[in-house]
mmCIF file of all heavy atoms in Angstrom:
data_model
loop_
_atom_site.group_PDB
_atom_site.id
_atom_site.type_symbol
_atom_site.label_atom_id
_atom_site.label_comp_id
_atom_site.label_asym_id
_atom_site.label_seq_id
_atom_site.Cartn_x
_atom_site.Cartn_y
_atom_site.Cartn_z
ATOM 1 N N VAL K 23 230.631 241.324 -25.757
ATOM 2 C CA VAL K 23 229.780 242.520 -25.694
ATOM 3 C C VAL K 23 228.417 242.230 -26.322
ATOM 4 O O VAL K 23 227.369 242.570 -25.753
ATOM 5 C CB VAL K 23 230.461 243.708 -26.406
ATOM 6 C CG1 VAL K 23 229.470 244.858 -26.613
ATOM 7 C CG2 VAL K 23 231.657 244.192 -25.599
ATOM 8 N N TYR K 24 228.415 241.604 -27.488
ATOM 9 C CA TYR K 24 227.142 241.280 -28.141
ATOM 10 C C TYR K 24 226.298 240.362 -27.252
ATOM 11 O O TYR K 24 225.083 240.561 -27.095
ATOM 12 C CB TYR K 24 227.385 240.596 -29.495
ATOM 13 C CG TYR K 24 228.266 241.367 -30.447
ATOM 14 C CD1 TYR K 24 229.141 240.705 -31.313
ATOM 15 C CD2 TYR K 24 228.256 242.761 -30.483
ATOM 16 C CE1 TYR K 24 229.966 241.403 -32.191
ATOM 17 C CE2 TYR K 24 229.082 243.467 -31.350
ATOM 18 C CZ TYR K 24 229.938 242.772 -32.199
ATOM 19 O OH TYR K 24 230.752 243.470 -33.055
ATOM 20 N N GLN K 25 226.951 239.365 -26.662
ATOM 21 C CA GLN K 25 226.208 238.446 -25.795
ATOM 22 C C GLN K 25 225.701 239.155 -24.540
ATOM 23 O O GLN K 25 224.600 238.866 -24.053
ATOM 24 C CB GLN K 25 227.102 237.266 -25.399
ATOM 25 C CG GLN K 25 227.418 236.311 -26.541
ATOM 26 C CD GLN K 25 228.045 235.030 -26.036
ATOM 27 O OE1 GLN K 25 227.396 234.237 -25.350
ATOM 28 N NE2 GLN K 25 229.313 234.829 -26.353
ATOM 29 N N TRP K 26 226.503 240.091 -24.006
ATOM 30 C CA TRP K 26 226.089 240.834 -22.804
ATOM 31 C C TRP K 26 224.800 241.616 -23.064
ATOM 32 O O TRP K 26 223.878 241.589 -22.246
ATOM 33 C CB TRP K 26 227.214 241.771 -22.383
ATOM 34 C CG TRP K 26 226.992 242.450 -21.063
ATOM 35 C CD1 TRP K 26 226.701 243.762 -20.845
ATOM 36 C CD2 TRP K 26 227.067 241.832 -19.770
ATOM 37 N NE1 TRP K 26 226.584 244.013 -19.499
ATOM 38 C CE2 TRP K 26 226.805 242.859 -18.810
ATOM 39 C CE3 TRP K 26 227.328 240.541 -19.329
ATOM 40 C CZ2 TRP K 26 226.802 242.592 -17.447
ATOM 41 C CZ3 TRP K 26 227.319 240.285 -17.963
ATOM 42 C CH2 TRP K 26 227.062 241.301 -17.041
ATOM 43 N N PHE K 27 224.753 242.293 -24.202
ATOM 44 C CA PHE K 27 223.535 243.038 -24.523
ATOM 45 C C PHE K 27 222.361 242.095 -24.814
ATOM 46 O O PHE K 27 221.215 242.394 -24.450
ATOM 47 C CB PHE K 27 223.788 243.984 -25.691
ATOM 48 C CG PHE K 27 224.620 245.188 -25.324
ATOM 49 C CD1 PHE K 27 225.645 245.624 -26.153
ATOM 50 C CD2 PHE K 27 224.383 245.886 -24.150
ATOM 51 C CE1 PHE K 27 226.415 246.735 -25.814
ATOM 52 C CE2 PHE K 27 225.144 246.997 -23.798
ATOM 53 C CZ PHE K 27 226.162 247.421 -24.630
ATOM 54 N N ASP K 28 222.622 240.960 -25.440
ATOM 55 C CA ASP K 28 221.546 239.985 -25.667
ATOM 56 C C ASP K 28 220.957 239.509 -24.342
ATOM 57 O O ASP K 28 219.739 239.325 -24.217
ATOM 58 C CB ASP K 28 222.067 238.785 -26.458
ATOM 59 C CG ASP K 28 222.300 239.095 -27.928
ATOM 60 O OD1 ASP K 28 221.841 240.160 -28.396
ATOM 61 O OD2 ASP K 28 222.948 238.272 -28.611
ATOM 62 N N ILE K 29 221.814 239.319 -23.338
ATOM 63 C CA ILE K 29 221.333 238.875 -22.024
ATOM 64 C C ILE K 29 220.484 239.954 -21.358
ATOM 65 O O ILE K 29 219.367 239.701 -20.893
ATOM 66 C CB ILE K 29 222.526 238.522 -21.109
ATOM 67 C CG1 ILE K 29 223.302 237.323 -21.648
ATOM 68 C CG2 ILE K 29 222.045 238.240 -19.678
ATOM 69 C CD1 ILE K 29 224.654 237.129 -20.987
ATOM 70 N N HIS K 30 221.007 241.186 -21.335
ATOM 71 C CA HIS K 30 220.412 242.210 -20.472
ATOM 72 C C HIS K 30 219.467 243.164 -21.194
ATOM 73 O O HIS K 30 218.734 243.910 -20.533
ATOM 74 C CB HIS K 30 221.523 242.984 -19.766
ATOM 75 C CG HIS K 30 222.329 242.113 -18.841
ATOM 76 N ND1 HIS K 30 221.845 241.686 -17.632
ATOM 77 C CD2 HIS K 30 223.566 241.550 -18.979
ATOM 78 C CE1 HIS K 30 222.752 240.917 -17.043
ATOM 79 N NE2 HIS K 30 223.807 240.822 -17.832
ATOM 80 N N LEU K 31 219.463 243.162 -22.521
ATOM 81 C CA LEU K 31 218.515 243.999 -23.255
ATOM 82 C C LEU K 31 217.464 243.168 -23.987
ATOM 83 O O LEU K 31 216.392 243.674 -24.306
ATOM 84 C CB LEU K 31 219.259 244.893 -24.256
ATOM 85 C CG LEU K 31 220.299 245.852 -23.658
ATOM 86 C CD1 LEU K 31 220.889 246.748 -24.751
ATOM 87 C CD2 LEU K 31 219.700 246.696 -22.541
ATOM 88 N N LYS K 32 217.762 241.903 -24.248
ATOM 89 C CA LYS K 32 216.790 241.012 -24.911
ATOM 90 C C LYS K 32 216.256 239.917 -23.993
ATOM 91 O O LYS K 32 215.278 239.255 -24.335
ATOM 92 C CB LYS K 32 217.438 240.344 -26.130
ATOM 93 C CG LYS K 32 217.710 241.264 -27.312
ATOM 94 C CD LYS K 32 218.257 240.439 -28.463
ATOM 95 C CE LYS K 32 218.466 241.250 -29.712
ATOM 96 N NZ LYS K 32 219.021 240.416 -30.822
ATOM 97 N N GLY K 33 216.921 239.721 -22.859
ATOM 98 C CA GLY K 33 216.479 238.677 -21.941
ATOM 99 C C GLY K 33 216.855 237.281 -22.371
ATOM 100 O O GLY K 33 216.238 236.302 -21.927
ATOM 101 N N GLU K 34 217.888 237.138 -23.209
ATOM 102 C CA GLU K 34 218.287 235.834 -23.702
ATOM 103 C C GLU K 34 219.282 235.165 -22.749
ATOM 104 O O GLU K 34 219.893 235.810 -21.897
ATOM 105 C CB GLU K 34 218.923 235.964 -25.088
ATOM 106 C CG GLU K 34 217.959 236.473 -26.150
ATOM 107 C CD GLU K 34 218.590 236.583 -27.522
ATOM 108 O OE1 GLU K 34 219.792 236.268 -27.655
ATOM 109 O OE2 GLU K 34 217.882 236.978 -28.460
ATOM 110 N N SER K 35 219.446 233.858 -22.932
ATOM 111 C CA SER K 35 220.456 233.101 -22.218
ATOM 112 C C SER K 35 221.477 232.607 -23.234
ATOM 113 O O SER K 35 221.120 232.201 -24.344
ATOM 114 C CB SER K 35 219.825 231.918 -21.486
ATOM 115 O OG SER K 35 220.797 231.169 -20.796
ATOM 116 N N ASN K 36 222.751 232.660 -22.884
ATOM 117 C CA ASN K 36 223.793 232.229 -23.807
ATOM 118 C C ASN K 36 225.015 231.772 -23.020
ATOM 119 O O ASN K 36 224.969 231.643 -21.789
ATOM 120 C CB ASN K 36 224.140 233.350 -24.792
ATOM 121 C CG ASN K 36 224.467 234.665 -24.088
ATOM 122 O OD1 ASN K 36 225.163 234.683 -23.069
ATOM 123 N ND2 ASN K 36 223.960 235.779 -24.617
ATOM 124 N N GLU K 37 226.125 231.524 -23.708
ATOM 125 C CA GLU K 37 227.331 231.033 -23.053
ATOM 126 C C GLU K 37 227.835 231.999 -21.978
ATOM 127 O O GLU K 37 228.298 231.584 -20.918
ATOM 128 C CB GLU K 37 228.434 230.814 -24.085
ATOM 129 C CG GLU K 37 228.183 229.657 -25.042
ATOM 130 C CD GLU K 37 229.328 229.487 -26.025
ATOM 131 O OE1 GLU K 37 230.313 230.262 -25.934
ATOM 132 O OE2 GLU K 37 229.241 228.589 -26.878
ATOM 133 N N LEU K 38 227.728 233.287 -22.258
ATOM 134 C CA LEU K 38 228.231 234.277 -21.306
ATOM 135 C C LEU K 38 227.424 234.263 -20.014
ATOM 136 O O LEU K 38 227.972 234.433 -18.928
ATOM 137 C CB LEU K 38 228.210 235.670 -21.936
ATOM 138 C CG LEU K 38 229.032 236.738 -21.219
ATOM 139 C CD1 LEU K 38 230.516 236.439 -21.331
ATOM 140 C CD2 LEU K 38 228.732 238.118 -21.769
ATOM 141 N N SER K 39 226.125 234.060 -20.134
ATOM 142 C CA SER K 39 225.275 234.066 -18.942
ATOM 143 C C SER K 39 225.565 232.881 -18.033
ATOM 144 O O SER K 39 225.221 232.896 -16.848
ATOM 145 C CB SER K 39 223.798 234.072 -19.339
ATOM 146 O OG SER K 39 223.452 232.922 -20.080
ATOM 147 N N GLN K 40 226.195 231.838 -18.571
ATOM 148 C CA GLN K 40 226.520 230.647 -17.789
ATOM 149 C C GLN K 40 227.960 230.662 -17.274
ATOM 150 O O GLN K 40 228.342 229.795 -16.485
ATOM 151 C CB GLN K 40 226.317 229.390 -18.660
ATOM 152 C CG GLN K 40 224.957 229.290 -19.319
ATOM 153 C CD GLN K 40 223.810 229.310 -18.326
ATOM 154 O OE1 GLN K 40 223.890 228.664 -17.281
ATOM 155 N NE2 GLN K 40 222.753 230.054 -18.627
ATOM 156 N N ALA K 41 228.768 231.627 -17.708
ATOM 157 C CA ALA K 41 230.198 231.625 -17.386
ATOM 158 C C ALA K 41 230.480 232.256 -16.025
ATOM 159 O O ALA K 41 229.698 233.082 -15.528
ATOM 160 C CB ALA K 41 230.971 232.386 -18.466
ATOM 161 N N SER K 42 231.600 231.889 -15.409
ATOM 162 C CA SER K 42 232.052 232.571 -14.194
ATOM 163 C C SER K 42 232.339 234.029 -14.530
ATOM 164 O O SER K 42 232.880 234.331 -15.593
ATOM 165 C CB SER K 42 233.317 231.907 -13.654
ATOM 166 O OG SER K 42 233.064 230.566 -13.293
ATOM 167 N N PRO K 43 231.980 234.963 -13.644
ATOM 168 C CA PRO K 43 232.019 236.387 -14.012
ATOM 169 C C PRO K 43 233.409 237.012 -14.087
ATOM 170 O O PRO K 43 233.547 238.113 -14.608
ATOM 171 C CB PRO K 43 231.179 237.054 -12.923
ATOM 172 C CG PRO K 43 231.281 236.128 -11.756
ATOM 173 C CD PRO K 43 231.357 234.750 -12.329
ATOM 174 N N VAL K 44 234.435 236.372 -13.548
ATOM 175 C CA VAL K 44 235.802 236.871 -13.677
ATOM 176 C C VAL K 44 236.576 235.881 -14.545
ATOM 177 O O VAL K 44 236.758 234.719 -14.158
ATOM 178 C CB VAL K 44 236.493 237.032 -12.313
ATOM 179 C CG1 VAL K 44 237.948 237.463 -12.496
ATOM 180 C CG2 VAL K 44 235.748 238.041 -11.447
ATOM 181 N N GLN K 45 237.011 236.334 -15.709
ATOM 182 C CA GLN K 45 237.747 235.476 -16.634
ATOM 183 C C GLN K 45 239.150 236.045 -16.823
ATOM 184 O O GLN K 45 239.317 237.167 -17.289
ATOM 185 C CB GLN K 45 237.021 235.398 -17.978
ATOM 186 C CG GLN K 45 235.665 234.703 -17.916
ATOM 187 C CD GLN K 45 235.790 233.192 -17.729
ATOM 188 O OE1 GLN K 45 236.706 232.574 -18.258
ATOM 189 N NE2 GLN K 45 234.860 232.613 -16.981
ATOM 190 N N MET K 46 240.158 235.254 -16.465
ATOM 191 C CA MET K 46 241.544 235.696 -16.558
ATOM 192 C C MET K 46 242.281 234.848 -17.590
ATOM 193 O O MET K 46 242.329 233.620 -17.467
ATOM 194 C CB MET K 46 242.254 235.570 -15.203
ATOM 195 C CG MET K 46 241.591 236.319 -14.070
ATOM 196 S SD MET K 46 242.548 236.255 -12.507
ATOM 197 C CE MET K 46 243.787 237.533 -12.817
ATOM 198 N N LYS K 47 242.833 235.518 -18.605
ATOM 199 C CA LYS K 47 243.718 234.806 -19.524
ATOM 200 C C LYS K 47 245.068 234.633 -18.841
ATOM 201 O O LYS K 47 245.636 235.593 -18.323
ATOM 202 C CB LYS K 47 243.907 235.561 -20.828
ATOM 203 C CG LYS K 47 244.727 234.770 -21.865
ATOM 204 C CD LYS K 47 244.961 235.542 -23.143
ATOM 205 C CE LYS K 47 245.566 234.641 -24.209
ATOM 206 N NZ LYS K 47 246.816 233.986 -23.807
ATOM 207 N N VAL K 48 245.573 233.435 -18.833
ATOM 208 C CA VAL K 48 246.888 233.184 -18.274
ATOM 209 C C VAL K 48 247.918 233.637 -19.306
ATOM 210 O O VAL K 48 247.897 233.208 -20.462
ATOM 211 C CB VAL K 48 247.073 231.696 -17.936
ATOM 212 C CG1 VAL K 48 248.450 231.467 -17.294
ATOM 213 C CG2 VAL K 48 245.966 231.232 -16.987
ATOM 214 N N LYS K 49 248.820 234.507 -18.902
ATOM 215 C CA LYS K 49 249.786 235.087 -19.835
ATOM 216 C C LYS K 49 250.629 233.999 -20.492
ATOM 217 O O LYS K 49 251.146 233.107 -19.816
ATOM 218 C CB LYS K 49 250.679 236.099 -19.122
ATOM 219 C CG LYS K 49 249.957 237.362 -18.661
ATOM 220 C CD LYS K 49 250.866 238.317 -17.917
ATOM 221 C CE LYS K 49 251.877 238.982 -18.817
ATOM 222 N NZ LYS K 49 252.622 240.068 -18.114
ATOM 223 N N PHE K 50 250.726 234.107 -21.816
ATOM 224 C CA PHE K 50 251.529 233.203 -22.643
ATOM 225 C C PHE K 50 251.037 231.755 -22.601
ATOM 226 O O PHE K 50 251.774 230.828 -22.912
ATOM 227 C CB PHE K 50 253.015 233.284 -22.257
ATOM 228 C CG PHE K 50 253.503 234.697 -22.126
ATOM 229 C CD1 PHE K 50 253.937 235.191 -20.905
ATOM 230 C CD2 PHE K 50 253.480 235.549 -23.214
ATOM 231 C CE1 PHE K 50 254.365 236.507 -20.776
ATOM 232 C CE2 PHE K 50 253.906 236.865 -23.095
ATOM 233 C CZ PHE K 50 254.345 237.346 -21.882
ATOM 234 N N GLU K 51 249.770 231.599 -22.202
ATOM 235 C CA GLU K 51 249.108 230.296 -22.243
ATOM 236 C C GLU K 51 247.808 230.458 -23.023
ATOM 237 O O GLU K 51 247.166 231.502 -22.961
ATOM 238 C CB GLU K 51 248.794 229.784 -20.835
ATOM 239 C CG GLU K 51 249.990 229.636 -19.923
ATOM 240 C CD GLU K 51 250.808 228.399 -20.227
ATOM 241 O OE1 GLU K 51 250.295 227.506 -20.943
ATOM 242 O OE2 GLU K 51 251.950 228.315 -19.739
ATOM 243 N N ASP K 52 247.424 229.429 -23.743
ATOM 244 C CA ASP K 52 246.221 229.504 -24.560
ATOM 245 C C ASP K 52 245.009 229.040 -23.760
ATOM 246 O O ASP K 52 244.337 228.071 -24.109
ATOM 247 C CB ASP K 52 246.395 228.645 -25.823
ATOM 248 C CG ASP K 52 245.228 228.844 -26.804
ATOM 249 O OD1 ASP K 52 244.562 229.893 -26.712
ATOM 250 O OD2 ASP K 52 245.015 227.945 -27.637
ATOM 251 N N ARG K 53 244.750 229.739 -22.655
ATOM 252 C CA ARG K 53 243.593 229.352 -21.852
ATOM 253 C C ARG K 53 243.145 230.498 -20.940
ATOM 254 O O ARG K 53 243.934 231.373 -20.591
ATOM 255 C CB ARG K 53 243.888 228.114 -21.014
ATOM 256 C CG ARG K 53 244.783 228.338 -19.818
ATOM 257 C CD ARG K 53 244.970 227.051 -19.018
ATOM 258 N NE ARG K 53 245.573 227.278 -17.728
ATOM 259 C CZ ARG K 53 246.880 227.374 -17.513
ATOM 260 N NH1 ARG K 53 247.716 227.259 -18.528
ATOM 261 N NH2 ARG K 53 247.342 227.574 -16.284
ATOM 262 N N TYR K 54 241.864 230.449 -20.596
ATOM 263 C CA TYR K 54 241.270 231.349 -19.618
ATOM 264 C C TYR K 54 240.855 230.530 -18.403
ATOM 265 O O TYR K 54 240.538 229.344 -18.517
ATOM 266 C CB TYR K 54 240.039 232.052 -20.192
ATOM 267 C CG TYR K 54 240.350 233.128 -21.188
ATOM 268 C CD1 TYR K 54 240.632 232.804 -22.513
ATOM 269 C CD2 TYR K 54 240.359 234.471 -20.828
ATOM 270 C CE1 TYR K 54 240.927 233.781 -23.444
ATOM 271 C CE2 TYR K 54 240.650 235.457 -21.754
ATOM 272 C CZ TYR K 54 240.929 235.105 -23.058
ATOM 273 O OH TYR K 54 241.219 236.077 -23.981
ATOM 274 N N GLU K 55 240.855 231.177 -17.258
ATOM 275 C CA GLU K 55 240.353 230.546 -16.038
ATOM 276 C C GLU K 55 239.257 231.429 -15.460
ATOM 277 O O GLU K 55 239.390 232.662 -15.419
ATOM 278 C CB GLU K 55 241.480 230.365 -15.022
ATOM 279 C CG GLU K 55 242.530 229.366 -15.474
ATOM 280 C CD GLU K 55 243.664 229.210 -14.485
ATOM 281 O OE1 GLU K 55 243.719 229.998 -13.512
ATOM 282 O OE2 GLU K 55 244.494 228.310 -14.690
ATOM 283 N N GLY K 56 238.176 230.794 -15.021
ATOM 284 C CA GLY K 56 237.033 231.529 -14.498
ATOM 285 C C GLY K 56 236.957 231.471 -12.980
ATOM 286 O O GLY K 56 237.236 230.435 -12.368
ATOM 287 N N PHE K 57 236.568 232.605 -12.382
ATOM 288 C CA PHE K 57 236.438 232.701 -10.933
ATOM 289 C C PHE K 57 235.145 233.452 -10.599
ATOM 290 O O PHE K 57 234.604 234.192 -11.422
ATOM 291 C CB PHE K 57 237.642 233.421 -10.334
ATOM 292 C CG PHE K 57 238.961 232.765 -10.660
ATOM 293 C CD1 PHE K 57 239.729 233.232 -11.721
ATOM 294 C CD2 PHE K 57 239.403 231.690 -9.931
ATOM 295 C CE1 PHE K 57 240.932 232.628 -12.043
ATOM 296 C CE2 PHE K 57 240.617 231.078 -10.238
ATOM 297 C CZ PHE K 57 241.379 231.540 -11.296
ATOM 298 N N ASP K 58 234.707 233.300 -9.357
ATOM 299 C CA ASP K 58 233.433 233.896 -8.957
ATOM 300 C C ASP K 58 233.554 235.344 -8.526
ATOM 301 O O ASP K 58 232.552 236.068 -8.474
ATOM 302 C CB ASP K 58 232.806 233.082 -7.819
ATOM 303 C CG ASP K 58 232.330 231.715 -8.279
ATOM 304 O OD1 ASP K 58 232.044 231.566 -9.490
ATOM 305 O OD2 ASP K 58 232.263 230.797 -7.443
ATOM 306 N N GLY K 59 234.746 235.794 -8.186
ATOM 307 C CA GLY K 59 234.903 237.172 -7.733
ATOM 308 C C GLY K 59 236.350 237.588 -7.743
ATOM 309 O O GLY K 59 237.243 236.821 -8.112
ATOM 310 N N PHE K 60 236.570 238.852 -7.365
ATOM 311 C CA PHE K 60 237.920 239.391 -7.245
ATOM 312 C C PHE K 60 237.986 240.237 -5.986
ATOM 313 O O PHE K 60 237.065 241.034 -5.733
ATOM 314 C CB PHE K 60 238.279 240.233 -8.474
ATOM 315 C CG PHE K 60 239.753 240.520 -8.575
ATOM 316 C CD1 PHE K 60 240.580 239.686 -9.294
ATOM 317 C CD2 PHE K 60 240.316 241.606 -7.925
ATOM 318 C CE1 PHE K 60 241.946 239.919 -9.372
ATOM 319 C CE2 PHE K 60 241.674 241.851 -7.982
ATOM 320 C CZ PHE K 60 242.490 241.008 -8.724
ATOM 321 N N PRO K 61 239.059 240.095 -5.156
ATOM 322 C CA PRO K 61 240.210 239.216 -5.317
ATOM 323 C C PRO K 61 239.812 237.744 -5.407
ATOM 324 O O PRO K 61 238.773 237.341 -4.892
ATOM 325 C CB PRO K 61 241.052 239.508 -4.069
ATOM 326 C CG PRO K 61 240.590 240.842 -3.588
ATOM 327 C CD PRO K 61 239.150 240.924 -3.930
ATOM 328 N N ILE K 62 240.681 236.954 -6.047
ATOM 329 C CA ILE K 62 240.397 235.546 -6.261
ATOM 330 C C ILE K 62 240.487 234.810 -4.921
ATOM 331 O O ILE K 62 241.564 234.727 -4.329
ATOM 332 C CB ILE K 62 241.403 234.930 -7.262
ATOM 333 C CG1 ILE K 62 241.464 235.765 -8.547
ATOM 334 C CG2 ILE K 62 241.056 233.483 -7.548
ATOM 335 C CD1 ILE K 62 240.169 235.894 -9.280
#
């Protein structure tokens, strides 16, 4: 959330601005997977 506001209210670039916009945590796994849209 903090990074989102930094991007869109301050015009900054950060890790969130470079990430795939759909991030899914795999249940019971210690990882996220990024996708460009939904449905995947």
Side-chain angles (χ1 to χ4, degrees):
V23 168
Y24 305 145
Q25 290 192 67
W26 188 252
F27 287 136
D28 286 347
I29 295 167
H30 296 286
L31 301 184
K32 289 184 176 179
E34 296 181 0
S35 180
N36 52 42
E37 291 181 1
L38 195 68
S39 61
Q40 307 302 318
S42 298
V44 176
Q45 294 288 324
M46 303 185 80
K47 185 182 189 304
V48 182
K49 292 178 71 171
F50 313 116
E51 302 283 345
D52 188 22
R53 74 178 192 276
Y54 286 81
E55 293 179 352
F57 303 97
D58 291 335
F60 195 92
I62 308 300

